[in-house]
Amino acid sequence: PDWLKQEQQEFQRTSPIKNWQGQGPYWLQALQMASSAASSSASAAPTWPSNSIARGEDGSINVGWKNAGLTDETLQEFVNTRLDVLLQYLPESSSDPVECSVDISGNSLRRPEPIKMLLQKLRSAPVHIVDLRLHKNQLTDIVAAALAEHIHQAACAGRPLMQLHLSGNSLTSAGIRTLIEAAHNSGGYPRKGVTDRWALWLRAERQSPPVFDAEDLLEQCKAAGQPVCIVPKFQQPPKDAVV
């Protein structure tokens, strides 16, 4: 189908491997194989942003669905009809997962179910979501519960989420605390045996309506033994930091 051909062409364009046919990382090979195996239902799916998946020079996968006009319905349609086509050809072994950054910011997402389904399917594949960008949507505390589940499940699998961007949504202090508690209770932070990216980088500023009790939230978390480390931009948190 056309959507899969577009993704395949973008992989080929962005890959540093010039003679990439059959030699690229297995996600590229999966796209090739899925091209001939995609179901007719997938080709009938709603329009999806082209040029949206690229491979970095380090082998990581960058999924760019920023400002794409996505709604809950279009994201759920993608998960139901397209994602399995891409994932079913990936190796079953999880010994060497591909790092993946997913940017779904600047859209019109509200409900937890499509995001939860997307994350569940990616967790079942040899993919490590290190960066999840959901800022500038319309997400509320009910979505925070689904994200907290992902934080816990991903950490248990040894693939902890390292960046979670939620600025510009409609979270309250209760929803933000749910995420902080999930990080502390997951056992995945601080990551061991790494020289960077050991704490969960959580951004949750500029909520609508604003979170006026942010200082109280931080004090409550500290009193509960779940402190939040606030660091200036471009500075690393302490080695024992969790969030």
Side-chain angles (χ1 to χ4, degrees), residues 135 164-167 171 201-207 233:
H135 50 285
L164 178 57
H165 298 252
L166 289 167
S167 304
L171 299 174
W201 182 269
L202 175 63
R203 293 193 62 173
E205 67 268 28
R206 296 192 298 276
Q207 300 299 314
K233 194 173 183 180

Side-chain angles (χ1 to χ4, degrees), residues 10-11 21 24 32 36 40 51 63 68 99 110 116 120-121 132 144 153 162 164 169 187 189 210 216 223 232 238:
E10 180 64 9
F11 265 88
Q21 189 83 7
Q32 290 178 287
S36 60
S40 59
N51 303 332
V63 180
E99 289 197 352
R110 297 183 178 184
K116 183 175 181 178
Q120 284 178 334
K121 289 197 174 184
L132 180 59
Q153 295 293 339
M162 301 315 303
L164 178 57
N169 281 286
Y189 313 94
D216 291 340

Side-chain angles (χ1 to χ4, degrees), residues 14-225:
T14 59
S15 174
I17 302 174
K18 298 307 179 184
N19 184 19
W20 72 288
Q21 189 83 7
Q23 298 183 22
Y26 51 67
W27 192 287
L28 299 180
Q29 298 171 20
L31 281 171
Q32 290 178 287
M33 298 175 69
S35 176
S36 60
S39 65
S40 59
S41 61
S43 63
T47 301
W48 194 255
S50 61
N51 303 332
S52 58
I53 303 179
R55 173 181 178 262
E57 292 187 3
D58 59 355
S60 63
I61 300 298
N62 299 298
V63 180
W65 298 332
K66 178 181 180 180
N67 298 327
L70 300 183
T71 64
D72 294 323
E73 290 72 25
T74 52
L75 180 59
Q76 187 160 341
E77 182 71 20
F78 171 82
V79 173
N80 288 335
T81 65
R82 302 186 180 190
L83 187 57
D84 282 339
V85 176
L86 300 180
L87 296 180
Q88 65 181 321
Y89 294 101
L90 298 180
E92 296 183 0
S93 172
S94 60
S95 59
D96 189 24
V98 174
E99 289 197 352
C100 181
S101 298
V102 179
D103 188 348
I104 325 180
S105 63
N107 288 293
S108 300
L109 302 179
R110 297 183 178 184
R111 296 189 293 110
E113 290 84 2
I115 295 173
K116 183 175 181 178
M117 291 170 58
L118 172 67
L119 296 175
Q120 284 178 334
K121 289 197 174 184
L122 290 177
R123 284 200 307 270
S124 68
V127 175
H128 178 187
I129 306 173
V130 293
D131 185 354
L132 180 59
R133 296 174 182 262
L134 292 166
H135 50 285
K136 296 182 180 179
N137 275 285
Q138 301 170 28
L139 307 179
T140 61
D141 288 352
I142 192 172
V143 178
L147 295 174
E149 179 185 357
H150 175 73
I151 290 172
H152 178 77
Q153 295 293 339
C156 289
R159 305 174 190 173
L161 179 65
M162 301 315 303
Q163 292 190 41
L164 178 57
H165 298 252
L166 289 167
S167 304
N169 281 286
S170 297
L171 299 174
T172 70
S173 59
I176 297 171
R177 182 165 184 178
T178 296
L179 300 170
I180 295 170
E181 291 176 345
H184 276 276
N185 294 332
S186 70
Y189 313 94
R191 289 179 77 186
K192 308 300 182 184
V194 296
T195 58
D196 61 356
R197 300 190 307 175
W198 53 82
L200 173 63
W201 182 269
L202 175 63
R203 293 193 62 173
E205 67 268 28
R206 296 192 298 276
Q207 300 299 314
S208 179
V211 178
F212 291 111
D213 56 346
E215 291 186 4
D216 291 340
L217 168 63
L218 295 177
E219 288 297 326
Q220 292 169 10
C221 290
K222 183 178 180 179

